[in-house]
């Protein structure tokens, strides 16, 4: 789907509200086909972002797993290494 939406569950430290909001924004942009809504659609666009962010936060907070939390720095390093191989 959106390459910019990152996995936010099971990280230490947990995902911030800003990260959840950014993922919701990317999702709404993808669904609407617009990065910036017209004035006429601005309220609906922002309402959707806030609603999706709230539901996403609820989902992330309620997920349970037996896996150890992932380390953000290690995951970022892995992603950077994959990118370097891909675009080398």
């Amino acid at each position: 789907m959106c390459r910019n939406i990152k996995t936010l569950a099971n990280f230490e430290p947990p995902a911030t509200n800003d990260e959840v909001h950014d993922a919701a924004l990317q999702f709404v942009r993808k669904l609407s086909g617009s990065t910036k809504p017209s004035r006429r659609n601005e309220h609906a666009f922002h309402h959707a972002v806030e609603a999706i962010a709230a539901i996403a936060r609820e989902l992330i907070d309620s997920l349970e797993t037996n896996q150890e939390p992932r380390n953000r720095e290690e995951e970022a390093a892995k992603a950077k290494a994959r990118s370097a191989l891909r675009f080398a």
Side-chain angles (χ1 to χ4, degrees), residues 11 71-82:
F11 273 102
N71 181 288
R72 290 179 179 278
E73 288 78 28
E74 289 174 10
E75 295 299 320
K78 288 178 191 176
K80 191 172 185 177
R82 284 190 305 269

Side-chain angles (χ1 to χ4, degrees), residues 6 21 28 33-34 39 66 72 84:
K6 308 274 188 274
H21 181 272
V28 171
S34 172
R39 284 189 187 187
N66 292 330
R72 290 179 179 278

Side-chain angles (χ1 to χ4, degrees), residues 12-64:
E12 191 58 45
T16 65
N17 288 335
D18 286 341
E19 290 172 313
V20 174
H21 181 272
D22 290 347
L25 177 60
Q26 286 294 328
F27 184 71
V28 171
R29 285 176 173 170
K30 185 69 166 187
L31 287 178
S32 68
S34 172
T35 58
K36 185 176 183 214
S38 65
R39 284 189 187 187
R40 186 175 195 166
N41 295 321
E42 199 169 74
H43 176 73
F45 189 92
H46 292 298
H47 176 72
V49 171
E50 295 307 316
I52 291 169
I55 294 299
R57 168 59 37 189
E58 182 180 329
L59 172 66
I60 292 167
D61 291 344
S62 66
L63 291 174
E64 297 178 11

